[in-house]
Amino acid sequence: MPFARIDLIQGKTPEYRAAVADIVYKGIVDVLKAPDGDRFIVISEHTPDNLIYDPNFLGWSRSADFLLIQVTSTVGNNKESKLAFFRYIADQLKEKLSVRPDDIMINMVYVDRSDWSFGNGEPWN
């Protein structure tokens, strides 16, 4: 079960934010193989002084359009799936929203089913 967080500088339209969420969700379902309907995404907008990143770390050239995408998941924890997910997100964001690949940072966090409660204080079994 994936949970995605998307952080960006404030000022993007609701349509832009929704499109980013849709791309991430489609990657989670189609590439990481989560079940359809497993859509839990938080988008956080920040003032420029509250989203701190090195614009040139590792040779990339990041702009104010920087996106930080973090997915916590129980599925897709193999190298092939991770690399395919990274590629899918970068390609789709570029194609659909003209996001420069240098402005996309993705972080995957893998956890066990026992790390989740979907409600009522009950663990996911």
Side-chain angles (χ1 to χ4, degrees):
M1 292 300 179
F3 168 66
R5 291 187 164 281
I6 302 166
D7 292 276
L8 62 148
I9 301 292
Q10 65 187 150
K12 298 296 186 187
T13 66
E15 294 80 15
Y16 177 93
R17 294 189 310 270
V20 172
D22 289 345
I23 289 166
V24 171
Y25 174 69
K26 188 157 176 51
I28 286 170
V29 171
D30 292 352
V31 179
L32 297 180
K33 304 301 183 196
D36 194 21
D38 187 3
R39 186 178 173 106
F40 298 93
I41 300 171
V42 173
I43 298 177
S44 298
E45 293 183 281
H46 305 275
T47 59
D49 59 328
N50 283 322
L51 184 58
I52 301 164
Y53 57 92
D54 186 314
N56 300 304
F57 184 67
L58 295 177
W60 304 113
S61 177
R62 296 174 187 88
S63 74
D65 291 327
F66 177 68
L67 293 170
L68 176 56
I69 301 166
Q70 183 177 56
V71 177
T72 302
S73 182
T74 60
V75 296
N77 192 8
N78 61 69
K79 186 175 182 179
E80 180 180 283
S81 293
K82 290 179 218 182
L83 295 178
F85 181 74
F86 296 159
R87 179 84 276 135
Y88 176 84
I89 297 300
D91 289 348
Q92 290 298 301
L93 287 172
K94 181 179 180 183
E95 177 184 325
K96 293 189 163 84
L97 297 172
S98 299
V99 177
R100 296 170 48 251
D102 281 14
D103 285 327
I104 304 165
M105 181 174 164
I106 305 169
N107 172 244
M108 304 294 294
V109 178
Y110 289 95
V111 297
D112 293 321
R113 287 174 63 134
S114 64
D115 294 317
W116 298 87
S117 172
F118 286 97
N120 202 32
E122 299 291 326
W124 180 36
N125 295 319

